Amino acid sequence: MPKKTVKDLELKGKKVLVRADFNVPMKDGKISNDNRIQAALPTIKYVLEQGGKAIVFSHLGRVKTEEDKAGLSLAPVAERLGELLNKNVKFVAQTRGEELESAVDGLSEGEVLMFENTRFEDVDGKKESKNDPELGKYWASLGDVFVNDAFGTAHRAHASNVGIASNVESAAGFLVEKEINFIGGAVDEPKRPFVAILGGAKVSDKIGVIENLLSKADKVLIGGGMTYTFYKALGKGIGSSLLEEDKVSLAKELIEKAGDKLVLPVDSVVASEFSNDVETEVVEGDVPEGKMGLDVGPKTVELFAKELEGAKTVVWNGPMGVFEMSNFAKGTSDICEVLAKLDDATTIIGGGDSATAAQQLGFEDDFSHISTGGGASLEYLEGKELPGIAAISDK
Ligand code: ADP
Ligand code: MG
């Protein structure tokens, strides 16, 4: 990897700033899912084992006004982190100031401190989210080195990632390193055949991903709601399926440009309403008037399975159907199964809903990598440079 990783840093006795992604779901002041805290443990533990003094921080939610701060303190996260590390985590309820500075100065090797939600700085002029140069410089001044382990915010240039990295030696944490190796590896130097599966709701959300992956992959399989904008471009009937009228001509262009690289569904599971409580049927080709396509059908799964045979790299973004409703989850679940059975392939899921689908349908452990960053993984798949990663020191 061209960027420094935490293993490239001298950590002993150093004040190590660790930007984690602790943007955890909260309900009534309690953490409802601590996956993200668990995911940050390897990096934090490594820093402590090496004799570093860890200063950990993150954003949580969106903070616009003074009132927003109420439910968004990181105090419960600090407590949970302490339980998971089996160690006292000193929490400072500030994002800057004397109390924070003296707590940092008082740290011994192997100790952990956490400070308050970085977005509390947004109340007064969006200093965090607009990457206020003074704020990044200030946070950088609290430490000797900086480890960025927050992949979920890597597509944003904020003070707590890009701002700090611009002022002090920095490195990727283990989570960020893993994301770069898997997603970056797949997109930039894939083992071939490389097949991309793209679904989800809208073409408009995925234009960048479709275009980038059409230029890199050997096959691009399309599913989900965007199918019907492509169908429309081919003059097929789509009934009342999801359609983006203003993207039909783009879909036409993509079909012409891609030729047989682009593979569309051959059948759909349809219903008369967007509901789990109405009858469904499988139709081949055109969707009849009064019906909407809400999942790919069994022949499509068969076709996609054939296209995936022998694939060495598979990148998947966007569910094949409305997986949130059990009647329309089968296409997504069947494709998960096909991927689970591929020998010797690197299989990667990027995208928030796709990751949720794989987890909910019980395939969490069957992929080589499920990205932890929804928006960030999408931008990465679009081939965009992620500012949070670009700012990390080169090796
Ligand atoms: P990701 O978050 O993985 O990038 P998207 O946000 O693009 O994925 O798409 C996820 C959504 O697409 C899901 O909520 C799913 O219900 C919806 N979807 C999938 N297929 C269809 C369809 N045929 N019609 C309408 N919505 C669909
Ligand atoms: Mg989504």
Side-chain angles (χ1 to χ4, degrees), residues 197-200 206 209 226 315-319 348 350-352 354 378 381:
I197 309 172
L198 301 176
K206 301 293 165 73
V209 181
M226 65 165 113
V315 167
W316 184 0
N317 169 265
I348 299 166
S354 318
L378 212 60
L381 293 176

Side-chain angles (χ1 to χ4, degrees), residues 79-250:
E79 198 180 319
R80 187 82 191 100
L81 178 64
E83 287 163 14
L84 292 168
L85 287 171
N86 201 7
K87 212 176 193 53
N88 181 46
V89 173
K90 183 174 170 55
F91 180 68
V92 179
Q94 290 190 331
T95 48
R96 60 168 94 208
E98 250 170 60
E99 190 192 334
L100 174 59
E101 290 155 26
S102 67
V104 167
D105 286 336
L107 280 173
S108 300
E109 289 183 10
E111 287 187 342
V112 194
L113 173 160
M114 193 157 139
F115 68 77
E116 190 52 284
N117 187 350
T118 55
R119 288 205 181 149
F120 280 19
E121 289 282 347
D122 278 351
V123 171
D124 179 20
K126 294 213 164 193
K127 290 198 166 78
E128 155 74 328
S129 297
K130 290 212 165 134
N131 189 13
D132 176 75
E134 179 269 326
L135 181 59
K137 199 169 172 182
Y138 170 73
W139 279 335
S141 76
L142 297 174
D144 301 310
V145 287
F146 173 50
V147 177
N148 185 357
D149 209 20
F151 181 73
T153 41
H155 59 315
R156 305 271 179 254
H158 288 176
S160 64
N161 56 359
V162 172
I164 300 176
S166 318
N167 286 284
V168 68
E169 183 184 11
S170 60
F174 295 127
L175 259 187
V176 167
E177 183 187 12
K178 192 171 171 223
E179 296 279 2
I180 297 175
N181 285 343
F182 274 107
I183 305 185
V187 175
D188 297 328
E189 38 197 34
K191 279 200 183 150
R192 294 182 187 275
F194 170 23
V195 181
I197 309 172
L198 301 176
K202 292 188 187 160
V203 180
S204 52
D205 289 342
K206 301 293 165 73
I207 296 169
V209 181
I210 301 173
E211 285 181 337
N212 188 41
L213 293 182
L214 270 177
S215 76
K216 308 246 160 108
D218 300 297
K219 286 277 175 181
V220 175
L221 316 180
I222 300 279
M226 65 165 113
T227 301
Y228 304 100
T229 298
F230 283 95
Y231 266 26
K232 185 84 181 179
L234 290 170
K236 286 187 196 282
I238 64 162
S240 51
S241 307
L242 201 62
L243 168 68
E244 287 169 282
E245 198 75 66
D246 61 332
K247 292 292 172 288
V248 173
S249 64
L250 172 77

Side-chain angles (χ1 to χ4, degrees), residues 42-56:
T43 297
I44 297 172
K45 281 184 178 162
Y46 178 79
V47 167
L48 301 177
E49 280 160 17
Q50 298 296 309
K53 309 167 181 178
I55 302 143
V56 185

